[in-house]
Amino acid sequence: MSTVATGSDATGPLELVLVRHAESLGNVADREALAAKAHRLDLADSDEQVGLSPEGERQAAALGDHVAGLADHRRPTVVVSSPYRRARDTAASALAAVGVEVLLDERVRERELGIFDGMTWYGIQAEHPGESERRARLGKFYYRPPGGESWADVVLRVRSLLVELQARYAGERVWVFSHEAVILAFRYVLEGLDAASVLALQKSEPIANCSMTRYRDQDGALRLVARDDVSGIQGAAEVTREPAHTGEGTGGAG
């Protein structure tokens, strides 16, 4: 029978909780652009500086109330966040009552889309047909947009961070505030998925804003115990997520 390790004998984190940032202005702009079949999002800020929407602020506050109500043995002891504003602001609001330092780590930043940043799939197909063809030939997992990153590149970042978490935070409850593609990359690594499986998850199970994907140590390995858990905000804020993905993501939305 599997048993959960105790703090004294754990060789890595006791728990890993992956939190997607609250709804951002980029998420709102993305939905509006897709509905209008526009080529670009109506956003002035860089992807790094995109902030939370009013609903996102309510979601982050609701998650903060949830965390404040957790028993001490369930609260995070180590917190890592993407340096992007929407993730940092979510972490700050969610942890206001806990007092845990937030460690910023660029390895959990949003996937960089290069020349496609801020574009919808309609825009990419219309303005970069050659790249659309190259992506179809290489496959979405390994395709790297000019100046950007492939899904495989994000996986390499996640592998690097997991090695560090394993070595430095034995027995800790680690929470990571990040983005959809990064959370899926964690699932790829931790659950031993293949490229087709993780891309299918992006289409079939879009990750809600402020949701928690939770792993716990069982026999020395982190095992999935909850995915896309919105219990922290449900009833206090609207649950928002993107529709099924049909192409490349867009800047400010992940």
Side-chain angles (χ1 to χ4, degrees):
M1 178 182 295
S2 295
T3 58
V4 178
T6 64
S8 61
D9 59 15
T11 58
L14 279 181
E15 185 174 57
L16 176 65
V17 179
L18 308 173
V19 183
R20 189 186 176 203
H21 63 79
E23 183 186 68
S24 71
L25 294 170
N27 295 139
V28 175
D30 185 49
R31 289 196 296 268
E32 292 174 347
L34 289 174
K37 296 186 177 181
H39 287 192
R40 296 180 181 274
L41 278 65
D42 184 13
L43 280 176
D45 291 326
S46 68
D47 195 18
E48 180 188 359
Q49 290 300 319
V50 171
L52 298 181
S53 70
E55 187 59 47
E57 291 175 353
R58 286 188 285 271
Q59 291 170 346
L63 185 59
D65 291 339
H66 171 76
V67 173
L70 293 176
D72 286 346
H73 70 278
R74 294 189 57 204
R75 289 184 173 188
T77 58
V78 174
V79 176
V80 179
S81 174
S82 161
Y84 283 27
R85 180 181 170 187
R86 55 193 180 274
R88 288 188 286 112
D89 288 355
T90 302
S93 185
L95 300 169
V98 178
V100 179
E101 179 186 5
V102 177
L103 307 173
L104 300 182
D105 196 309
E106 71 284 347
R107 288 172 292 184
V108 292
R109 73 189 187 278
E110 174 64 293
R111 183 169 75 96
E112 295 183 2
L113 297 177
I115 64 171
F116 296 162
D117 184 38
M119 297 185 71
T120 66
W121 184 236
Y122 298 109
I124 294 170
Q125 288 179 310
E127 298 180 29
H128 300 281
E131 287 300 318
S132 295
E133 293 172 5
R134 189 166 75 89
R135 176 183 175 276
R137 184 173 66 254
L138 294 175
K140 183 176 178 179
F141 190 80
Y142 291 105
Y143 169 73
R144 182 183 290 121
E149 296 177 294
S150 68
W151 279 70
D153 292 328
V154 179
V155 166
L156 291 176
R157 293 201 243 130
V158 165
R159 289 191 188 279
S160 169
L161 179 61
L162 281 169
V163 169
E164 185 172 333
L165 295 180
Q166 189 79 8
R168 296 185 62 181
Y169 299 118
E172 303 282 0
R173 293 181 297 278
V174 180
W175 287 38
V176 178
F177 288 77
S178 190
H179 309 266
E180 184 182 44
V182 179
I183 292 172
L184 287 168
F186 272 98
R187 293 198 64 180
Y188 175 90
V189 175
L190 292 171
E191 298 170 41
L193 302 178
D194 59 21
S197 297
V198 76
L199 295 177
L201 281 178
Q202 189 196 27
K203 288 186 176 182
S204 64
E205 300 179 12
I207 300 171
N209 296 111
C210 259
S211 67
M212 296 174 284
T213 297
R214 192 183 306 272
Y215 295 83
R216 290 204 184 104
D217 181 282
Q218 295 179 1
D219 295 334
L222 289 167
R223 306 294 185 189
L224 181 70
V225 295
R227 61 170 178 78
D228 196 35
D229 176 11
V230 294
S231 62
I233 65 169
Q234 208 156 29
E238 182 182 353
V239 175
T240 57
R241 52 168 59 86
E242 277 66 62
H245 292 259
T246 57
E248 285 295 327
T250 44

